[in-house]
Amino acid sequence: MKIKAPAPFTFEAGNRAVLLLHGFTGNSADVRMLGRYLQKQGYTCYAPILRGHGMEPENLLEATPAQWWEDVQNAYEHLQHLGYEEIAVAGLSMGGVLGIKLATEYKVTGLITMCSPMFFDNEHQLTDGFRMFAKQYKQFERKDRDTIATEVKEMMDQSRPMFTRIKDFVKEVNGIVDLIYTPTMVVQARKDEMINPESANYIYDTVETDQKQIKWYEKSGHVITTDKEKEQLHEDIYTFLQSLNWEQ
């Protein structure tokens, strides 16, 4: 059975724009509810699909952080081409890592990281997460159990270069966090099963901006945008965005 691929979305509202970035193995659906909420509050939101995501898991094996970085730059420029001059960025997990890099190289009104890794000490969790993602995708395709087991094993055997690239990228961004002078909100789920929650403290302590805050969510897991406290998260992000020095 062919699975319908998720698509990027643009929810237009006011003159202020927010670039929403999903995480590794995720897609735009992970930030759709946040996008709709912010649209109702007057913010335009755009969420791209990073290369290799939103399709068969085999595609991720060939995707690279360099390609994702290119996708994020293209997404930022897409909002500019639509006429938006003031852009904030909010990224979930790997999307937050990409958002940090964006804020060091482009004009960004505000930065929001959500459960974003700063240390590559979660390879075991990443491997399990990728294996589960691949298995579930193939179950949705209604493949039989033996076929799923064979295809997932083949993917896991080929996954080492992918995880090495991710490790190198996280390490690179870890080294530039102190270049952030953009107002920053750090979001972290207390029950995060995927990354080291100390990453949140590292980002908060290392950014150079004086306008920063860190928010912990006690009942949520890694994909905090769709978890138990998502409504509170939406409100907190809106409050942060309202506190920024928008020109319009």
Side-chain angles (χ1 to χ4, degrees):
M1 185 182 75
K2 188 72 174 178
I3 298 176
K4 182 180 177 181
F9 65 74
T10 304
F11 299 152
E12 293 206 63
N15 294 325
R16 303 170 176 179
V18 183
L19 177 58
L20 300 176
L21 303 175
H22 67 76
F24 177 65
T25 74
N27 60 68
S28 57
D30 293 336
V31 291
R32 178 174 290 271
M33 285 186 288
L34 175 58
R36 281 298 188 197
Y37 173 85
L38 292 176
Q39 181 192 31
K40 290 178 182 178
Q41 311 305 320
Y43 288 87
T44 290
C45 293
Y46 174 58
I49 302 280
L50 303 178
R51 245 172 290 184
H53 292 79
M55 53 184 74
E56 291 82 1
E58 284 84 354
N59 287 275
L60 270 175
L61 295 175
E62 302 301 323
T64 68
Q67 291 175 332
W68 303 337
W69 169 233
E70 190 175 273
D71 295 339
V72 169
Q73 293 176 88
N74 290 338
Y76 180 93
E77 290 165 5
H78 170 73
L79 282 169
Q80 287 185 315
H81 291 156
L82 291 178
Y84 295 96
E85 298 178 358
E86 296 183 278
I87 303 170
V89 59
L92 172 66
S93 194
M94 181 58 67
V97 180
L98 289 158
I100 289 171
K101 187 170 174 64
L102 187 72
T104 66
E105 298 192 25
Y106 288 77
K107 179 186 176 185
V108 173
T109 304
L111 167 67
I112 302 164
T113 67
M114 298 177 281
C115 301
S116 297
M118 284 289 100
F119 317 108
F120 195 79
D121 55 0
N122 63 329
E123 186 171 4
H124 176 72
Q125 292 91 329
L126 268 179
T127 301
D128 286 349
F130 181 65
R131 182 185 293 108
M132 181 62 68
F133 161 70
K135 180 179 178 181
Q136 290 176 341
Y137 193 98
K138 293 178 181 300
Q139 287 173 338
F140 286 135
E141 290 181 306
R142 296 182 181 175
K143 293 184 175 181
D144 64 79
R145 183 178 298 179
D146 289 343
T147 299
I148 291 173
T150 299
E151 293 184 357
V152 170
K153 183 180 185 305
E154 288 177 356
M155 275 194 298
M156 298 312 298
D157 290 344
Q158 300 171 35
S159 65
R160 172 63 58 181
M162 175 184 67
F163 289 120
T164 297
R165 292 191 293 267
I166 292 174
K167 174 183 179 180
D168 291 343
F169 183 67
V170 170
K171 183 178 179 180
E172 173 198 337
V173 175
N174 176 292
I176 61 174
V177 176
D178 64 341
L179 301 180
I180 297 291
Y181 293 89
T182 302
T184 301
M185 177 182 182
V186 182
V187 167
Q188 182 58 50
R190 189 73 70 178
K191 295 184 177 180
D192 197 326
E193 71 288 356
M194 187 61 64
I195 72 157
N196 182 348
E198 278 302 310
S199 292
N201 289 325
Y202 177 82
I203 297 170
Y204 178 79
D205 291 339
T206 308
V207 294
E208 285 294 323
T209 180
D210 292 328
Q211 189 176 345
K212 61 182 179 179
Q213 59 180 267
I214 185 168
K215 294 275 187 178
W216 292 83
Y217 296 80
E218 302 298 326
K219 301 176 183 178
S220 297
H222 184 64
V223 187
I224 192 170
T225 50
T226 61
D227 214 325
K228 296 177 181 179
E229 297 164 294
K230 58 183 180 291
E231 290 86 1
Q232 185 62 54
L233 174 67
H234 295 168
E235 293 177 11
D236 292 341
I237 288 176
Y238 172 64
T239 299
F240 171 73
L241 291 172
Q242 287 291 96
S243 74
L244 300 178
N245 186 28
W246 302 91
E247 296 174 6
Q248 300 184 52

